[in-house]
Amino acid sequence: MNQIYEEIQELKREHNAVILAHYYVPEEVQKCADYIGDSFYLSKIATTLDASTIVFAGVTFMGESAKILNPEKNVLLPMPEADCSMAHMASAAKIKEMREKYEDLAVVCYINSTAELKSLSDICVTSANAVKIVKSLPNHNIYFIPDGNLGSYVAEQVPEKNVIPGEGYCYVHKEVTKESIEAVKKLHPEAEVLVHPECRAEILAVSDFIGSTSAIINYATESPKKEFIIGTENGVFYKLKEANPDKSFYPVAGGQTCASMKEVTLERVRDCLKNHTGEVFVDSKVQEACLIPLARMLEAGK
Ligand code: 13P
Ligand code: SF4
């Protein structure tokens, strides 16, 4: 195992590369990363790096966003086929229809989306800043794509606006059920329930805290409580435990696994650097169109 970490370090030096990893990739990949974080943190950090190559240990839309924000850099995806199914769950035709229906419409696009959807949107958001950004918009009518659960959560948090959620969903978070949370709660009655806003409304309703992966980790780390039930993807347990060795964290119903994130292996990180594979290319017109909503997000999310 140590040998592959050494190889990766050597390849990083050779190619002037830096490794970014999302909290959902396997623990051993997070261990080799220079920066680990949620989608917002990683997009922000990607714009501040001196390295000429960014290896993005995450799914397709993450590498694509990093490339859009840094067109002059080489962005490599260790597993380019590792896609987020939710990223495709909205359509150009529906966006057009909504723009015709509401004159003042703002199309707010969750970063978990294809470049095409971003290019048709007014501003991007992540789970860390969606509420704050929607609140700050001058528009009354908001079409929130693609995640219907995050969209409904934002609608509830910003009742002064007409937030119309899209119909997409994350299959990983959709699997979390009320019954499974209640079953873990029965075993650990003192535990607080921390969930991601991609979970369904009935899950958010029975939780003690709702936040992005970073927000969940920060909340647990700062809390005086000792036990937590975690309603998000299993990958967060690595940081949760590392930062809180004296606390206990329980998954729901055996835990949630994003199959695409788990395809990003240590070997694939090494191989993309070694063979310069998985390079992300974004058409220059699409890149320019996507840069606007992404840059607005970085500005508004500050
Ligand atoms: P965050 O990184 O915003 O917590 O979102 C989780 C997710 O589903 C990423 O794919
Ligand atoms: Fe997409 Fe869900 Fe996987 Fe995140 S956890 S990448 S939203 S499928």
Side-chain angles (χ1 to χ4, degrees):
M1 191 64 122
N2 279 343
Q3 194 195 334
I4 189 162
Y5 285 106
E6 282 165 24
E7 260 184 275
I8 291 172
Q9 288 309 319
E10 186 53 41
L11 286 161
K12 264 174 39 184
R13 275 191 291 275
E14 200 181 305
H15 298 279
N16 185 22
V18 65
I19 300 176
L20 309 189
H22 189 270
Y23 287 125
Y24 292 167
V25 297
E27 183 171 324
E28 60 274 17
V29 175
Q30 294 187 48
K31 283 183 185 159
C32 84
D34 298 290
Y35 300 93
I36 315 171
D38 69 359
S39 306
F40 184 54
Y41 171 78
L42 294 173
S43 335
K44 255 189 329 190
I45 213 79
T47 62
T48 65
L49 304 169
D50 288 332
S52 56
T53 297
I54 297 174
V55 175
F56 210 123
V59 288
T60 317
F61 76 80
M62 296 180 169
E64 234 167 43
S65 300
K67 180 68 184 176
I68 290 161
L69 289 164
N70 302 280
E72 76 295 345
K73 290 197 194 296
N74 296 313
V75 177
L76 306 180
L77 278 164
M79 181 60 178
E81 296 82 11
D83 200 4
C84 166
S85 50
M86 180 166 65
H88 304 266
M89 294 182 186
S91 76
K94 181 77 182 178
I95 293 174
K96 187 167 177 274
E97 184 191 313
M98 295 297 272
R99 287 207 190 273
E100 280 161 9
K101 189 165 173 190
Y102 298 98
E103 223 175 73
D104 77 323
L105 190 79
V107 178
V108 175
C109 189
Y110 192 24
I111 197 164
N112 298 38
S113 52
T114 59
E116 188 207 6
L117 291 173
K118 287 185 181 76
S119 73
L120 300 170
S121 302
D122 297 297
I123 190 162
C124 287
V125 296
T126 74
S127 63
N129 56 34
V131 170
K132 178 180 166 184
I133 289 181
V134 169
K135 260 189 191 156
S136 76
L137 295 175
N139 318 58
H140 178 66
N141 293 299
I142 309 288
Y143 182 35
F144 191 100
I145 56 166
D147 189 5
N149 289 330
L150 180 59
S152 300
Y153 173 63
V154 171
E156 197 194 282
Q157 298 296 306
V158 194
E160 66 276 21
K161 290 186 191 282
N162 178 33
V163 179
I164 306 150
E167 287 164 11
Y169 60 89
C170 163
Y171 80 96
V172 180
H173 290 87
K174 198 181 170 186
E175 279 170 5
V176 179
T177 64
K178 223 168 113 181
E179 294 70 33
S180 56
I181 290 191
E182 279 161 6
V184 190
K185 188 87 184 166
K186 234 185 206 154
L187 294 172
H188 308 284
E190 292 302 313
E192 278 196 304
V193 179
L194 319 184
V195 304
H196 196 279
E198 287 176 14
C199 292
R200 291 172 298 118
E202 66 171 60
I203 305 303
L204 306 189
V206 296
S207 67
D208 298 297
F209 178 78
I210 301 163
S212 73
T213 47
S214 294
I216 288 175
I217 293 165
N218 292 342
Y219 180 92
T221 305
E222 283 158 23
S223 170
K225 291 261 187 174
K226 293 284 179 213
E227 293 184 292
F228 304 89
I229 296 166
I230 304 298
T232 189
E233 214 271 355
N234 279 335
V236 297
F237 285 96
Y238 166 58
K239 263 287 159 221
L240 279 169
K241 288 178 186 162
E242 190 195 59
N244 303 282
D246 58 328
K247 298 185 183 178
S248 301
F249 301 97
Y250 311 111
V252 179
Q256 277 59 53
T257 301
C258 175
S260 297
M261 289 285 192
K262 299 306 183 234
E263 286 187 300
V264 183
T265 61
L266 211 46
E267 289 73 17
R268 286 178 169 142
V269 170
R270 175 198 57 200
D271 293 347
C272 79
L273 269 170
K274 199 171 173 176
N275 308 319
H276 198 90
T277 49
E279 182 165 1
V280 179
F281 294 101
V282 180
D283 171 84
S284 62
K285 279 218 167 72
V286 176
Q287 188 271 333
E288 277 169 31
C290 293
L291 186 59
I292 300 167
L294 277 171
R296 280 186 185 145
M297 173 188 81
L298 293 181
E299 184 56 34
K302 264 182 193 164

